Amino acid sequence: MPGPPFRLLFLFVAASANLATVAVMAPQSLGRDVFVTVGGGPEPANNQVSLEKNVEFFARTLSNRYPEPLDHRILFADGSASEPDLQYIDEAAEISPAMRWMTRILGEEYWIPLRYRNHHSRPSDQPADKAHLRAMMQSLAADLVAGDRLVVYVTAHGAPALSDGMDDAHDDASSSRLSTPEHARDTSILLWGGDEVRASELADWLDGFDPEVEVILVMVQCYSGGFAEVVFRESNRKFGMSDRPRCGFFSQRHDRAAAGCTAAVDERDYQEYSSYFFAALNGLSRDGTTVIHADYDEDNRVSLAEAHAYAIITSTTIDVPLKTSDVVLRNASRIATEADASDSPGVVASLLGSVFGRNSSPQSSRERYTTNHTVEALLTIARPDQRAIISALSSQLEITPEATVQSIQQQRRRLSLQVDALYLKMAEHTEAETTLIEEIRRSLNQANPEFREHGFSPIIAQWATTRGAEFVVLVESLEESEALAHVRGKQKSLDDKLEPLEIQEAKIDRLIHTLRNVLLEANLANVADPETIARYEQLVKLESTTLWP
């Protein structure tokens, strides 16, 4: 006789911490939840302490909400090996002016305060390499049954696809279905030892599970959006949606690096997607602060989609998060043109209200939506989590309800020109800095030819330590040193201007992305077949579940 329904939660996480393996079992009528955390960088120099702290925060989140026993399996970095594998910044490191100048001249200034230690491992931890991950997936595929749930949380490093296709996430194109090369979004997770797992490979592994095991992905590595493609058959858009219950939430688009990975030890300064996502689900931030209202539909629970919306609204990073239903819409629907809007509506357009739970009249549900629609108009048909994003970001960006999607896209292009201009100036100053450092090095070579021996010369050791005061006087007497200080000051000024503009750029991208989601969803019934509409509805429902039993 078959066992009870089982729900598997599979979590890829960037760092494993000093967490005890706990088994969490949801009520048997709901199935079993299994958590697998996989994370860390491919080597010590790329395995920052923030990844470990992400694991710890997630573990605290689970322990706050799940009953014992909890099944939480962790793969992290080099596993239980005793060698140092984790990079962190020593905040107490004393750096003399001589050492600062020496490393600046030799091009290694960034590395001065970096230290390494072993991650907080448990005896049962295994390395986050491909062999162990594959073996774990195969074991779970044999164990899990219909009704179980798998949640994947990835907090690690990632790599872009081998070939990059048309970028559907820029959100200022009006074309509907995108014909991109196969695997153009096949991004990867970088595992310990240089291994990597691509999105298509993960999809193949997931295909080995019972087709009724729910899979939820939460991924925060660079280029993580490529893993949203697992919602399609064979991880390929041209084959249409998979009939398996899978959804995912991703910190960044498939073509962009993500924010948040740092060697800094103070978690209060962490700005990354999963910090906000899990804080919204749990109601508590990393430092224990109560999270403000994230229950946007006011049903007394915070869904995964609402946690995603909270992260989009609250985070101040360069990330443009997305979820699986977003990529389905971009594959199955399209933004109407003005000519389309004047045509008669599709046969199944009247289903929109019932399928998506919109607060719209029959007339508006049959309308074909274009980028000339206003923010105000789209708010009336958006779902609660979408309305929250649109309202909050419009307020933050000082965009009025009368603004159209098209006008916001034009505003985005103007902002991009400002950012590009600043980058050009930054590049000029970086080139000037490099030239000045080379001139300083030449002057030092003339003063003492022994300096040419870079790294192994006794004079370098002496100038950085016992003769440090003499070295500082020598360097700072050079005209180039004064010019270098001026250039670095200009760089700092430009960087101070650039950072808020990049955050503003990301926020307007998030707003445009959400507005286009509403447009695409409103037009889906006019262009998609009933099977696609039904599967999309199931996907939205899965994204609207919560993490908790």
Side-chain angles (χ1 to χ4, degrees):
M1 188 171 178
F6 183 100
R7 298 186 305 175
L8 166 67
L9 293 113
F10 185 94
L11 295 98
F12 283 86
V13 186
S16 138
N18 52 344
L19 311 173
T21 298
V22 275
V24 168
M25 184 80 69
Q28 290 192 349
S29 61
L30 296 178
R32 176 183 166 203
D33 289 344
V34 175
F35 300 84
V36 179
T37 295
V38 179
E43 59 179 350
N46 287 294
N47 187 31
Q48 292 81 7
V49 68
S50 63
L51 301 179
E52 178 186 67
K53 288 183 178 292
N54 282 353
V55 179
E56 294 175 335
F57 176 52
F58 181 69
R60 292 197 304 271
T61 299
L62 291 181
S63 64
N64 286 342
R65 301 299 294 266
Y66 263 88
E68 297 288 351
L70 169 70
D71 191 345
H72 185 190
R73 311 177 189 197
I74 295 177
L75 302 180
F76 182 72
D78 65 0
S80 57
S82 59
E83 292 78 16
D85 65 345
L86 194 75
Q87 182 190 81
Y88 69 98
I89 292 175
D90 181 2
E91 302 290 351
E94 295 184 5
I95 305 170
S96 68
M99 181 64 73
R100 183 76 68 184
W101 266 114
M102 184 65 71
T103 54
R104 185 177 301 161
I105 294 168
L106 299 180
E108 300 169 350
E109 187 175 5
Y110 169 77
W111 299 96
I112 303 177
L114 294 180
R115 304 290 184 269
Y116 293 86
R117 63 167 171 81
N118 195 17
H119 77 272
H120 296 156
S121 176
R122 304 168 308 179
S124 59
D125 282 349
Q126 295 179 322
D129 57 30
K130 193 169 185 176
H132 283 88
L133 178 55
R134 183 191 297 112
M136 181 174 286
M137 291 292 287
Q138 291 172 345
S139 174
L140 289 170
D143 186 24
L144 301 182
V145 297
D148 295 339
R149 187 168 63 160
L150 166 67
V151 175
V152 181
Y153 169 44
V154 180
T155 169
H157 291 286
L162 297 176
S163 62
D164 194 15
M166 184 184 297
D167 183 5
D168 62 304
H170 279 303
D171 278 332
D172 56 2
S174 59
S175 61
S176 56
R177 298 173 180 80
L178 301 170
S179 61
T180 58
E182 188 173 1
H183 303 313
R185 299 174 187 82
D186 197 16
T187 61
S188 64
I189 306 164
L190 300 179
L191 299 176
W192 185 258
D195 286 341
E196 63 181 285
V197 171
R198 295 205 164 266
S200 57
E201 193 165 14
L202 176 61
D204 289 342
W205 290 349
L206 295 178
D207 284 343
F209 286 82
D210 186 294
E212 294 186 38
V213 169
E214 291 183 357
V215 176
I216 298 170
L217 310 178
V218 181
M219 296 184 165
V220 299
Q221 77 275 14
C222 292
Y223 314 104
S224 57
F227 282 79
E229 305 299 309
V230 302
V231 78
F232 299 108
R233 292 191 185 97
E234 299 182 26
S235 194
N236 193 320
R237 295 187 180 198
K238 70 180 181 181
F239 297 138
M241 288 184 67
S242 170
D243 58 358
R244 292 169 178 258
R246 296 175 186 167
C247 74
F249 304 86
F250 311 92
S251 66
Q252 185 59 292
R253 298 169 1 174
H254 77 279
D255 60 339
R256 282 190 180 183
C261 190
T262 176
V265 298
D266 190 347
E267 291 187 66
R268 293 172 298 181
D269 296 331
Y270 288 4
Q271 295 286 328
E272 58 88 40
Y273 174 85
S274 64
S275 295
Y276 298 97
F277 186 85
F278 292 128
L281 287 173
N282 188 35
L284 292 173
S285 66
R286 283 180 178 269
D287 62 3
T289 303
T290 300
V291 171
I292 61 173
H293 176 68
D295 178 17
Y296 302 118
D297 62 5
E298 299 182 345
D299 66 349
N300 296 317
R301 68 181 187 121
V302 176
S303 69
L304 297 166
E306 287 172 327
H308 178 73
Y310 178 81
I312 289 174
I313 292 168
T314 311
S315 65
T316 55
T317 69
I318 59 171
D319 292 342
V320 182
L322 69 150
K323 57 187 186 301
T324 36
S325 59
D326 301 352
V327 301
V328 170
L329 284 172
R330 280 152 181 73
N331 189 58
S333 186
R334 68 184 179 91
I335 306 297
T337 65
E338 290 303 310
D340 292 329
S342 64
D343 292 340
S344 57
V347 176
V348 292
S350 60
L351 293 175
L352 281 172
S354 59
V355 170
F356 303 121
R358 293 202 180 94
N359 298 320
S360 58
S361 65
Q363 182 178 2
S364 65
S365 68
R366 291 195 299 270
E367 185 176 357
R368 297 195 176 183
Y369 286 84
T370 75
T371 55
N372 283 325
H373 277 76
T374 65
V375 169
E376 185 175 32
L378 296 184
L379 280 170
T380 65
I381 62 167
R383 286 183 278 107
D385 58 302
Q386 295 171 330
R387 285 200 298 273
I389 295 171
I390 294 169
S391 296
L393 292 183
S394 294
S395 177
Q396 293 173 25
L397 295 164
E398 299 182 349
I399 291 174
T400 65
E402 295 76 28
T404 65
V405 179
Q406 191 173 84
S407 70
I408 298 171
Q409 290 176 161
Q410 292 169 348
Q411 181 177 337
R412 165 63 171 83
R413 286 189 281 271
R414 290 192 296 270
L415 179 61
S416 181
L417 291 175
Q418 295 180 52
V419 171
D420 290 346
L422 285 174
Y423 267 112
L424 284 175
K425 289 182 180 179
M426 285 284 287
E428 292 173 2
H429 285 84
T430 299
E431 184 178 358
E433 179 186 32
T434 300
T435 300
L436 287 167
I437 288 175
E438 289 175 352
E439 291 175 357
I440 292 172
R441 190 181 296 124
R442 255 193 312 270
S443 296
L444 292 174
N445 288 342
Q446 292 173 355
N448 195 319
E450 202 176 354
F451 188 77
R452 286 198 184 102
E453 301 301 323
H454 195 275
F456 297 101
S457 169
I459 197 66
I460 289 180
Q462 292 170 11
W463 278 352
T465 54
T466 57
R467 297 174 62 186
E470 175 187 345
F471 174 62
V472 171
V473 170
L474 174 61
V475 174
E476 292 184 351
S477 68
L478 301 173
E479 292 182 4
E480 294 86 356
S481 296
E482 184 177 349
L484 179 63
H486 178 73
V487 167
R488 289 170 70 91
K490 288 285 189 180
Q491 286 177 315
K492 176 65 167 58
S493 177
L494 287 172
D495 194 54
D496 289 343
K497 294 178 182 177
L498 184 60
E499 183 177 4
L501 284 181
E502 286 189 308
I503 293 172
Q504 184 181 358
E505 192 176 44
K507 284 182 176 289
I508 200 168
D509 279 346
R510 297 175 196 178
L511 176 60
I512 293 171
H513 186 82
T514 305
L515 289 168
R516 289 179 67 86
N517 285 344
V518 176
L519 289 171
L520 290 165
E521 192 171 280
N523 291 327
L524 183 64
N526 292 314
V527 296
D529 58 82
E531 180 183 359
T532 298
I533 293 171
R535 286 187 178 174
Y536 178 76
E537 178 186 9
Q538 292 169 353
L539 175 59
V540 170
K541 287 181 178 178
L542 183 57
E543 292 176 344
S544 299
T545 58
T546 188
L547 191 64
W548 315 125

